[in-house]
Amino acid sequence: MSLTTISTSLTAVITIGGWVLDRNVLGCKTPLRAILGLITLAIGSWIWLTIVLAFALKIPGAYGPVQYWVGDPEAYRFISGPRIVALFAILGGLLSSALLGLATAASVVRGPKGTRFKRIILPTFALANYGLAWWLFINCGFYPSA
């Protein structure tokens, strides 16, 4: 089983868990906030799971500048695949997280008073997860630099 398959499967489990928690356990029924929260949760989860698994499994091409891996086809496949996708995903996550903040603020201000605290649990977890992904992305040098 490949690294991306494992991280994508675990991301799906985390995202479904977030959906179940938000909808069934907490009883929050604001779809825009939930969808943006789940998108941000999925982006952050996939990125940090990919980074952690790549380092744990010692995948060639998972770290260091691109020049370090010249001539290694397996490393090049990883650099041109998951590392490039992670770069675009983490940049796209900036938009998702900004919209999530706005949707959550609107939901808390306009929604019923009884579930205000519950409506910030998924977004807080999603943003913390995305922040962890950024921290690992920068500190582990996962971006495909030349």
Side-chain angles (χ1 to χ4, degrees):
M1 196 179 266
S2 74
L3 167 82
T4 52
T5 304
I6 295 169
S7 61
T8 303
S9 300
L10 291 173
T11 298
V13 169
I14 291 170
T15 306
I16 291 168
W19 176 263
V20 169
L21 175 72
D22 193 58
R23 285 293 184 165
N24 299 338
V25 177
L26 299 175
C28 299
K29 305 292 187 207
T30 49
L32 180 62
R33 179 201 50 80
I35 290 169
L36 289 170
L38 293 171
I39 289 170
T40 305
L41 181 66
I43 290 171
S45 297
W46 186 82
I47 291 170
W48 74 257
L49 281 168
T50 301
I51 294 170
V52 167
L53 289 172
F55 278 79
L57 299 173
K58 296 181 175 55
I59 303 292
Y63 49 87
V66 174
Q67 294 94 333
Y68 184 75
W69 298 104
V70 170
D72 187 346
E74 185 179 350
Y76 181 73
R77 236 183 356 262
F78 191 79
I79 291 167
S80 64
R83 280 180 75 172
I84 296 291
V85 171
L87 174 67
F88 287 116
I90 206 154
L91 293 176
L94 289 172
L95 177 63
S96 171
S97 61
L99 292 174
L100 173 61
L102 293 173
T104 302
S107 173
V108 167
V109 169
R110 293 187 306 136
K113 294 183 186 335
T115 59
R116 280 187 179 171
F117 174 73
K118 292 179 180 179
R119 285 191 304 259
I120 65 168
I121 292 175
L122 175 67
T124 302
F125 182 66
L127 292 173
N129 197 23
Y130 182 67
L132 173 65
W134 260 108
W135 184 78
L136 285 171
F137 192 77
I138 299 300
N139 283 342
C140 294
F142 200 72
Y143 45 88
S145 62

